Amino acid sequence: DTFTWDEVMQLPDKALWLEAAQLEIDELAKKRKTWSIVPKSQAGSIKPLPTTWVFRLKRHPDGTPKKRKARICVRGDLQEGPAEVFAPVCEFSSVRLFLALCLLLQWPSVALDFANAFCQSHFPKLMEAVYLHPPRGFYNDVRGHSYLLLLKSMYGLREAPRLWFENLFGELLSDELGFTQSANDPCLLFRHDMIVIVYVDDCCIMGPQENVDEIKRKLKLEFGTVEDGQLRKLLGVRYEWKLDSKGEQYLELKMDDKANAIIKSYEKITGTTPKVQSTPGTPGQVLIKNSGEPYMRDEYRSMIGKLMFYTTKIAPECAFSVGQLARHMQNPNKDHWKAVDRIVGYLRGKEKHRL
C-alpha cells in the first residue's frame, strides 16, 4: 500500500492523493514553518538535496482503508560529512512488560501518535544549513531560481531520528513531567504513578486515569498528539483486548497479515506451496553444514529474516527451528531449504496464530 509520485499519477483516485499531498505541504510550510524560500545564490557552495514523495494507504486494525497519507522525504542518503544520527527505540520485551503490568495493575492505557514527529525538531545552531529542491508538483513558480532552506528537521535527514529523540525526551524528562529512563531500556520511562514506552513517534501511556489525562493534555499542547485509544498495533503485532468468562481482561496477540506475507514470499521464491505441517521442525533432524556451493543464498537470508521477526514477536515455538536455520545463512543447501519449507508449512497450518 505504498506508492511513488509516478504511481499515484496513474491511479483512478489520483485527485484524492493530490489532496493528501496538498495537506502535507500546508502542514509543513504554513503550520509548522518547516522551511523558507530563498534564492539559489544564498546556498553558496552547499549542494541542495532532492526530495521524494512517499504515498501510503493507511488501514484500520481490521485491514479496511483508513486514510491516504502523503509525506515529503529528503534524500538524506546524499548528505555529506559526519553527523550524530543514533536514536534508540524500545525493546519488544519492554512492550510486553508494559502490557503485562497494564493487565496486572488494571490501569487504563492510551496510545498516542505524534503527527509529523520528525518535522517538529529545530536544528541546533551549530548544524550546517540544509537546502532542498522544491518537491514535485509544487512551487513550480519558484523552482528555477529558488531553494527551500530548512528551519526544522524533516523525514529522510540523517539527523532526524536523533533530533526527534532529543526533542521528545527533553520534554518527558523535564521537571514538569518528571519521568525517569529505565537503566535497561532508555525508551521505557516511569515515575511513581505512571509508565511510558516510546517507539519513534508512537507512545503508550499507562497509569491512573487522571494522570493519563494530564500527560495527554500536556503532550498535545507541546506536540499536537493524536489519541488512538488503547494500543491496537505496534511493530506489526495487533493487540485485541478481551474479557474471559470471569470478566477479567486479557490480551490476544496476532500477526495474520505477516504470516500470510511470509507464505506468499516463500511461494514466490520457490514456485511451490508447502504442505501443511503440525510442528515447525522435524523431530530428531540434524542440519549439517554445507561444504558445497550455496543454494539461493540471498533468498534464504531473506526468508530467515522474515521468520526471525515473526518468531520473536508471536511464535516462540518456532524459535529453536528458526535458530538452527539461522546458523546456515552463509552457505545454505537444499536440505536447509526443506527445513524452511517445513516451518512455512507449519504457518499454513496455523490459520489463526495467537499468543
Side-chain angles (χ1 to χ4, degrees):
D1 292 340
T2 302
F3 310 97
T4 64
W5 177 274
D6 290 330
E7 290 171 339
V8 160
M9 292 300 102
Q10 304 301 319
L11 296 177
D13 57 349
K14 176 180 71 173
L16 297 177
W17 288 105
L18 289 176
E19 287 181 14
Q22 185 64 59
L23 287 176
E24 175 77 349
I25 292 290
D26 293 342
E27 173 77 15
L28 298 183
K30 298 179 181 179
K31 182 178 178 180
R32 301 199 181 278
K33 310 294 183 184
T34 305
W35 57 65
S36 62
I37 301 175
V38 299
K40 286 187 174 182
S41 58
Q42 182 174 321
S45 61
I46 301 177
K47 186 177 180 180
L49 298 172
T51 58
T52 184
W53 282 100
V54 178
F55 296 90
R56 182 185 175 195
L57 181 62
K58 303 191 76 172
R59 297 182 178 275
H60 292 286
D62 61 2
T64 56
K66 182 179 180 181
K67 70 172 183 178
R68 293 168 178 82
K69 173 66 178 176
R71 174 161 287 158
I72 306 172
C73 297
V74 180
R75 287 289 306 276
D77 57 306
L78 300 178
Q79 284 182 269
E80 300 177 353
E84 183 67 42
V85 299
F86 174 73
V89 295
C90 68
E91 299 282 349
F92 193 71
S93 57
S94 297
V95 177
R96 288 183 173 176
L97 174 63
F98 178 92
L99 296 171
L101 289 174
C102 187
L103 293 171
L104 179 65
L105 299 174
Q106 292 296 297
W107 275 353
S109 63
V110 63
L112 300 177
D113 180 57
F114 296 88
N116 279 310
F118 284 10
C119 303
Q120 299 193 39
S121 305
H122 289 274
F123 284 145
K125 293 182 179 179
L126 297 179
M127 184 174 171
E128 183 182 46
V130 177
Y131 295 90
L132 306 178
H133 290 290
R136 292 181 67 178
F138 298 88
Y139 297 107
N140 293 326
D141 55 332
V142 301
R143 184 177 298 276
H145 54 79
S146 299
Y147 291 143
L148 305 183
L149 170 63
L150 280 188
L151 305 177
K152 294 182 179 180
S153 177
M154 278 187 65
Y155 286 88
L157 283 177
R158 290 185 303 168
E159 303 89 348
R162 180 71 184 184
L163 293 174
W164 166 244
F165 173 80
E166 292 175 346
N167 186 19
L168 175 59
F169 280 71
E171 182 69 19
L172 292 173
L173 299 175
S174 65
D175 293 336
E176 182 180 5
L177 297 187
F179 284 98
T180 301
Q181 287 176 298
S182 165
N184 296 316
D185 187 341
C187 293
L188 174 65
L189 302 97
F190 62 91
R191 66 186 201 190
H192 71 282
D193 57 352
M194 296 189 72
I195 301 175
V196 174
I197 55 170
V198 178
Y199 193 93
V200 190
D201 59 354
D202 291 313
C203 175
C204 295
I205 305 171
M206 170 179 64
Q209 189 63 58
E210 61 274 14
N211 296 346
V212 171
D213 292 339
E214 175 197 2
I215 297 298
K216 285 195 305 183
R217 179 180 58 80
K218 291 181 178 179
L219 290 179
K220 185 173 184 177
L221 186 65
E222 182 67 24
F223 299 106
T225 55
V226 177
E227 183 178 341
D228 290 334
Q230 281 188 308
L231 180 62
R232 299 292 180 184
K233 184 179 180 181
L234 184 65
L235 297 178
V237 182
R238 300 185 186 277
Y239 302 91
E240 292 188 2
W241 301 78
K242 297 184 175 183
L243 296 175
D244 61 17
S245 58
K246 298 180 180 179
E248 295 181 354
Q249 193 176 50
Y250 71 96
L251 262 177
E252 189 173 88
L253 283 63
K254 60 181 182 179
M255 294 179 71
D256 295 346
D257 50 350
K258 185 65 177 179
N260 292 333
I262 291 174
I263 296 169
K264 290 180 180 179
S265 179
Y266 178 85
E267 291 175 343
K268 182 178 180 181
I269 291 171
T270 65
T272 62
T273 299
K275 181 181 177 182
V276 172
Q277 303 288 347
S278 59
T279 61
T282 303
Q285 183 184 40
V286 178
L287 295 173
I288 306 299
K289 182 178 179 180
N290 181 25
S291 57
E293 290 296 315
Y295 180 71
M296 298 174 63
R297 178 166 56 193
D298 292 342
E299 295 86 350
Y300 183 86
R301 289 174 172 176
S302 175
M303 284 301 305
I304 297 303
K306 292 180 174 69
L307 289 170
M308 289 178 71
F309 180 82
Y310 185 84
T311 296
T312 56
K313 300 296 182 293
I314 198 174
E317 73 275 19
C318 297
F320 178 80
S321 298
V322 175
Q324 292 293 308
L325 290 172
R327 298 180 180 183
H328 302 278
M329 287 196 291
Q330 180 62 26
N331 196 19
N333 59 23
K334 292 185 177 181
D335 288 337
H336 303 134
W337 271 102
K338 288 180 181 178
V340 173
D341 182 275
R342 178 156 188 122
I343 296 179
V344 178
Y346 173 74
L347 296 185
R348 280 196 66 217
K350 300 277 288 189
E351 261 187 46
K352 294 185 177 180
H353 208 140
R354 302 290 184 267
L355 184 63

